[in-house]
């Protein structure tokens, strides 16, 4: 009986070890894919395709949806926004359906955002990854997504600062996650820290009153 129990425990240990190795391998593959997909800058590609100014050298010099709105129109900006959200959502959703643990999903999420921030295809000069960060948070739940959208819209409408809206929104994300699905709090906290760090230049300009505002025109 004792021998049988020991054998069962050994088998369970080996099974758990094999599962852990498999999870690490799957996570590693998804991290690479998430970074590469994140490195595809729709803002740069669409602007080049449509003969628009390069968002890296025009407007706020940031290849993201908000700056594309400044230098083009809402339709191009919407296309950039949707693509940037999807390139965050798809890798994390893939990991979720493969049964990966929250911390592993968090690493995949960070990889997607780092790809957007430091794209290998564009000399490692990318955007702030706000839309991509929103995308990686969507698999947690549509209720979280709704809260994040409402927070961004409220702050942006009141202040006209897109960067401030992003900073406040990602700062609130860990709290919203704790209220809705606490198991994901630590990965979301890591992500929020990364996004806020990426906005350090915006924070300085906000404090100095030099940050450009956005408009909600019908352009």
């Amino acid at each position: 009986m004792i021998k049988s129990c020991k054998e069962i425990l050994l088998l369970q240990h080996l099974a758990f070890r094999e599962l852990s190795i498999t999870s690490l391998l799957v996570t590693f593959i998804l991290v690479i894919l998430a970074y590469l997909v994140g490195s595809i800058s729709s803002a740069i590609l669409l602007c080049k395709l449509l003969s628009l100014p390069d968002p890296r050298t025009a407007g706020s010099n940031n290849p993201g949806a908000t700056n594309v709105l400044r230098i083009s129109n809402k339709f191009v900006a919407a296309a950039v926004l949707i693509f940037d959200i999807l390139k965050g959502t798809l890798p994390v959703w893939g990991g979720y359906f493969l049964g990966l643990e929250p911390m592993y999903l968090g690493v995949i999420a960070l990889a997607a955002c780092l790809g957007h921030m430091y794209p290998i295809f564009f000399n490692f000069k990318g955007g702030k990854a706000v839309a991509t960060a929103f995308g990686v948070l969507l698999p947690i739940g549509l209720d979280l997504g709704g809260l994040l959208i409402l927070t961004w819209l409220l702050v942006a409408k009141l202040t006209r600062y897109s960067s401030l809206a992003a900073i406040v929104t990602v700062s609130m994300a860990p709290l919203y996650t704790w209220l809705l699905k606490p198991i994901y709090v630590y990965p979301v906290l890591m992500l929020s820290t990364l996004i806020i760090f990426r906005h350090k230049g915006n924070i300085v300009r906000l404090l100095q009153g030099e940050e450009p505002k956005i408009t909600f025109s019908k352009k």
Side-chain angles (χ1 to χ4, degrees):
M1 181 66 180
I2 295 176
K3 183 179 180 181
S4 178
C5 289
K6 287 183 177 179
E7 290 176 348
I8 292 174
L9 290 173
L10 178 60
L11 289 173
Q12 289 178 339
H13 173 72
L14 291 174
F16 177 76
R17 183 178 178 182
E18 183 178 350
L19 181 62
S20 298
I21 294 175
T22 301
S23 295
L24 286 173
L25 180 59
V26 171
T27 301
F28 177 75
I29 294 173
L30 286 178
V31 163
I32 299 299
L33 290 175
Y35 173 77
L36 292 176
V37 172
S39 292
I40 302 173
S41 177
S42 59
I44 297 173
L45 294 175
L46 279 177
C47 286
K48 185 174 182 179
L49 180 65
L50 299 174
S51 299
L52 295 168
D54 190 331
R56 294 170 295 180
T57 57
S60 64
N61 303 324
N62 178 60
T66 301
N67 194 35
V68 170
L69 178 62
R70 290 190 183 101
I71 63 178
S72 62
N73 57 67
K74 61 183 179 181
F75 300 107
V76 180
V80 171
L81 179 65
I82 292 171
F83 183 86
D84 286 352
I85 291 174
L86 286 176
K87 71 183 185 181
T89 301
L90 295 178
V92 175
W93 231 325
Y96 175 81
F97 282 115
L98 289 173
L100 296 180
E101 296 294 323
M103 288 306 295
Y104 292 158
L105 295 177
V107 174
I108 295 170
L110 289 175
C113 291
L114 286 171
H116 183 88
M117 294 175 181
Y118 309 102
I120 191 172
F121 305 126
F122 299 97
N123 299 317
F124 302 100
K125 296 179 180 179
K128 303 297 173 58
V130 175
T132 304
F134 174 73
V136 303
L137 293 175
L138 273 182
I140 295 178
L142 294 179
D143 46 1
L144 175 61
L147 286 172
L148 295 175
I149 291 174
L150 287 175
T151 302
W152 190 93
L153 288 175
L154 178 62
V155 178
K157 190 71 175 178
L158 290 175
T159 68
R160 304 288 180 173
Y161 289 117
S162 175
S163 58
L164 181 60
I167 292 168
V168 172
T169 301
V170 297
S171 297
M172 295 298 294
L175 175 60
Y176 294 155
T177 304
W178 178 74
L179 293 172
L180 298 171
K181 290 188 179 178
I183 192 173
Y184 294 105
V185 166
Y186 290 116
V188 172
L189 188 58
M190 290 191 303
L191 181 65
S192 296
T193 302
L194 175 64
I195 301 301
I196 293 173
F197 173 77
R198 184 63 171 166
H199 280 79
K200 58 184 184 298
N202 300 87
I203 294 173
V204 172
R205 289 193 294 272
L206 283 167
L207 293 174
Q208 295 175 344
E210 299 175 354
E211 182 74 352
K213 293 187 176 184
I214 57 174
T215 58
F216 295 92
S217 65
K218 297 182 179 180
K219 182 179 177 181

